Amino acid sequence: MEENKTHLPAAGATGARPAKLILTNVAKTYGDGVQPIAALQPVSTRVHEGEFVVFFGPSGCGKTTLLNMIAGFEDITEGSITLDGKPVEGPHHDRLMLFQEHGLFPWLTVLENVMFGLRREYRFKRQARRERARQFLQMVHLEEFERAAIHELSGGMKQRAALARALAPDPKVLLVDEPFPALDALSRSKLYWDIQEIHQRTKKTIILVTHDQREAACLGDRVLVFSGRPGRVKADITIDLPRSRDIKDPAVAQRAAGIMAQMEASGQ
Amino acid sequence: MRTPQRRITYYVLAFYFLIVAVWQALFSAQLIPDYLLPSPLQVAGRLWELMADNHLWPSVKATFGRMGVGFSIAACVGLVLGLFMGVSRVVNGCLRSLFLGLQTLPTAAWVPVSLLIFGLSEHGIHFVIIMSSAPAVAISTSDGIQHIPPIYLRAARTLGTPTYAMPTRVILPAALPSIVTGVKLGWTLAWHGCVSAELIKSSIGLGYLLEMGREWNDAQQVIGIMVLTILFGLLLDRFFFGLIQKRILVRWGLAQKS
């Protein structure tokens, strides 16, 4: 596992590129009374432009909490998060989240869902919104379903539609919260291909949360390994396999084993 | 095993046929004098007469006209109040208890007040309709809003929806299944209120025809208008509101297509 460079949070192989998202000693504590509960111990890292970072760990390790803090859904109790130098405050369309349960609006068609986030930019130009939404539906191979209602789509198609909706407004960072466990194996492996292809095409900065080490090794340029409780970052592993990677590739499996070893390593 | 839909339809038809048959049997047995219990045919004949005399149609039109005006206002008022209740806990705390209280009042109980305020004018009937149904619409709307899956609100916020646009673009559409349930219930209550009001303070309408039947000791007319009132209520409930509700529930993923 000599390629798996574990290194201290801030520096790294990608250090030459500008940092997009800077997390400085970000921590989360719930309750402020006699016994505050530490959900996440201070984390510092830099996410670079176009980087695909995976937060990996068991449930209750604070990885989703950290993602929610970046999204602005949860308050940051300690430390700071900046995006392009500006501190993160509340939800904003420059940090779009792809949810675990797609969150598509059932009262709109697939195309209208993708158009939803484009109102700000193309205020009174419905036609322009429609054109742009169509491009993104094509990217996730759903162009034939633009008029469909949400309940008519399969689970995998719903996630792809949600992906198109999140990408269409051109967010600076795409946050992905375990979008795959609810899907069957075939839909999942198709989504792994799609998301890698989209990442390469759009050069989007992506942060994805998962508890599946193979998923982490398959998708991430870099994997932050979390451990519970209290949640903290145990390791920061760079995965330098060529893209696009296949989830069934032995090299991916080998990296996945490395990630697991890091998580299980005693490091109290 | 589930009984197929077609078979159920036959059972339902047979059930109503049975009711009419029992009714006819009671009539034929002559236990009750026929000026108190007319036969199904006599009732149908009386309705036919009313139609031929051009009494029935203007009254049906009048009742539906009042329902149209009154219920449209009630639904709008209910929707707006429900929206405020849904988004503000203070407003909800105040109005919910008031509306639940008002709902315990029988719809007919609004008629005396409306007579005092509006006299015999049409607005009095509209008033009864609104007071009977607006609270139900408001309560269902606020319930629906309070139970919106949080993910819709999160998704909308992260997609850059400004606060002022949330009610129209997200909150009301997301609560639509409950809103339709409320509107359906509201329609039934409004129908009660409307016919009750017409009984006492009107010179046209289904309620008026009912009251006239009583005054002339015409059991055929009383029963005929009752059956007609039930029929209209049922048709609108099942086929109009029912179908809209079904479509919405399927689309929102809350029910299966049958």
Side-chain angles (χ1 to χ4, degrees):
Chain A
M1 249 150 287
E2 56 285 310
E3 306 99 325
N4 285 0
K5 291 180 211 120
T6 358
H7 45 78
L8 286 169
T14 46
R17 280 191 282 161
K20 189 89 186 154
L21 196 65
I22 303 174
L23 282 67
T24 317
N25 293 317
V26 180
K28 180 80 186 177
T29 329
Y30 288 109
D32 44 12
V34 193
Q35 268 191 318
I37 301 155
L40 182 67
Q41 291 189 339
V43 178
S44 297
T45 193
R46 288 162 178 265
V47 178
H48 301 278
E49 178 85 59
E51 197 176 15
F52 198 141
V53 175
V54 174
F55 293 174
F56 165 78
S59 47
C61 67
K63 60 191 192 302
T64 303
T65 307
L66 186 58
L67 194 76
N68 279 331
M69 285 195 281
I70 297 171
F73 291 135
E74 287 201 42
D75 296 332
I76 304 158
T77 38
E78 222 179 285
S80 74
I81 301 176
T82 60
L83 176 61
D84 286 338
K86 274 181 264 165
V88 160
E89 279 166 3
H92 192 273
H93 48 77
D94 61 15
R95 289 166 270 120
L96 273 183
M97 172 95 100
L98 180 61
F99 298 95
Q100 200 162 358
E101 318 88 0
H102 62 82
L104 294 165
F105 303 132
W107 55 92
L108 301 175
T109 64
V110 172
L111 186 71
E112 286 165 343
N113 261 285
V114 181
M115 287 163 67
F116 190 93
L118 300 174
R119 268 181 191 267
R120 202 176 24 82
E121 208 175 335
Y122 306 92
R123 199 88 196 259
F124 299 107
K125 300 173 195 146
R126 202 177 155 79
Q127 196 52 42
R129 290 209 298 271
R130 188 173 294 142
E131 289 307 317
R132 187 167 169 84
R134 283 210 175 103
Q135 285 171 22
F136 281 85
L137 276 183
Q138 256 164 30
M139 195 152 85
V140 296
H141 315 296
L142 281 178
E143 62 273 23
E144 289 159 46
F145 295 90
E146 62 169 59
R147 285 160 184 277
I150 302 308
H151 74 274
E152 294 167 331
L153 302 183
S154 71
M157 285 154 82
K158 281 176 191 157
Q159 274 311 350
R160 294 218 300 276
L163 184 61
R165 182 175 74 170
L167 285 170
D170 197 24
K172 291 178 177 169
V173 182
L174 179 66
L175 306 169
V176 188
D177 182 15
E178 298 195 54
F180 309 131
L183 299 177
D184 58 282
L186 204 68
S187 307
R188 281 171 67 154
S189 73
K190 184 149 173 35
L191 259 168
Y192 292 143
W193 277 107
D194 285 351
I195 202 165
Q196 288 187 77
E197 187 198 333
I198 287 164
H199 175 234
Q200 281 167 295
R201 251 172 62 186
T202 60
K203 308 273 181 252
K204 192 73 37 197
T205 311
I206 303 179
I207 301 178
L208 179 139
V209 161
T210 183
H211 56 239
D212 182 326
Q213 65 272 20
R214 278 222 184 191
E215 198 170 294
C218 175
L219 296 177
D221 292 324
R222 199 148 65 84
V223 178
L224 290 192
V225 180
F226 286 65
S227 78
R229 310 182 164 218
R232 62 203 174 85
V233 175
K234 246 182 154 179
D236 184 338
I237 304 171
T238 303
I239 313 270
D240 47 9
L241 295 173
R243 301 271 186 186
S244 290
R245 305 168 190 160
D246 186 346
I247 188 86
K248 294 185 289 294
D249 186 344
V252 168
Q254 192 203 343
R255 300 306 170 94
I259 292 169
M260 269 319 262
Q262 284 290 341
M263 196 185 73
E264 283 161 356
S266 63
Q268 289 303 309
Chain B
M1 236 183 76
R2 274 193 68 202
T3 320
Q5 190 57 46
R6 182 181 281 273
R7 283 261 293 285
I8 292 179
T9 311
Y10 289 145
Y11 283 127
V12 170
L13 287 176
F15 170 71
Y16 283 107
F17 183 78
L18 190 73
I19 289 185
V20 176
V22 169
W23 178 2
Q24 179 65 47
L26 275 175
F27 175 77
S28 306
Q30 302 211 317
L31 296 171
I32 308 167
D34 71 346
Y35 59 86
L36 292 182
L37 183 77
S39 79
L41 264 179
Q42 285 174 324
V43 168
R46 183 76 187 100
L47 282 178
W48 182 256
E49 272 171 42
L50 279 172
M51 210 146 74
D53 297 351
N54 205 21
H55 271 115
L56 191 59
W57 182 235
S59 275
V60 170
K61 246 182 11 192
T63 299
F64 274 98
R66 288 161 180 156
M67 282 292 287
V69 174
F71 189 64
S72 303
I73 298 171
C76 291
V77 169
L79 213 60
V80 170
L81 291 178
L83 180 63
F84 282 114
M85 287 163 71
V87 295
S88 157
R89 287 179 61 192
V90 176
V91 176
N92 187 49
C94 299
L95 290 185
R96 177 170 293 258
S97 50
L98 175 68
F99 286 170
L100 286 174
L102 288 181
Q103 278 201 312
T104 61
L105 204 62
T107 52
W110 286 106
V111 178
V113 177
S114 110
L115 274 169
L116 287 174
I117 303 175
F118 296 96
L120 286 171
S121 83
E122 277 296 278
H123 296 314
I125 298 179
H126 298 150
F127 171 79
V128 175
I129 294 174
I130 294 166
M131 296 315 281
S132 309
S133 58
V137 178
I139 286 177
S140 293
T141 303
S142 75
D143 278 347
I145 290 170
Q146 283 159 14
H147 292 111
I148 292 175
I151 190 166
Y152 292 150
L153 304 176
R154 279 186 158 198
R157 275 168 69 203
T158 167
L159 285 164
T161 311
T163 311
Y164 69 83
M166 286 294 275
T168 49
R169 278 184 221 160
V170 186
I171 295 176
L172 288 177
L176 204 55
S178 293
I179 293 173
V180 176
T181 308
V183 166
K184 200 165 162 247
L185 174 66
W187 173 268
T188 308
L189 291 169
W191 191 243
H192 294 186
C194 182
V195 176
S196 309
E198 284 175 349
L199 280 176
I200 294 169
K201 51 179 292 177
S202 171
S203 52
I204 192 168
L206 287 172
Y208 165 76
L209 288 180
L210 203 57
E211 177 60 13
M212 280 304 106
R214 186 198 62 81
E215 232 160 70
W216 297 329
N217 265 330
D218 184 349
Q220 294 174 6
Q221 179 164 335
V222 170
I223 293 178
I225 298 297
M226 278 173 69
V227 169
L228 210 61
T229 308
I230 294 170
L231 218 61
F232 280 131
L234 196 66
L235 281 176
L236 274 156
D237 190 73
R238 284 296 294 274
F239 293 99
F240 184 64
F241 291 112
L243 287 182
I244 293 175
Q245 187 180 32
K246 178 84 188 168
R247 273 190 64 170
I248 288 174
L249 288 181
V250 168
R251 173 130 199 188
W252 264 241
L254 299 168
Q256 296 288 311
K257 218 176 205 154
S258 62

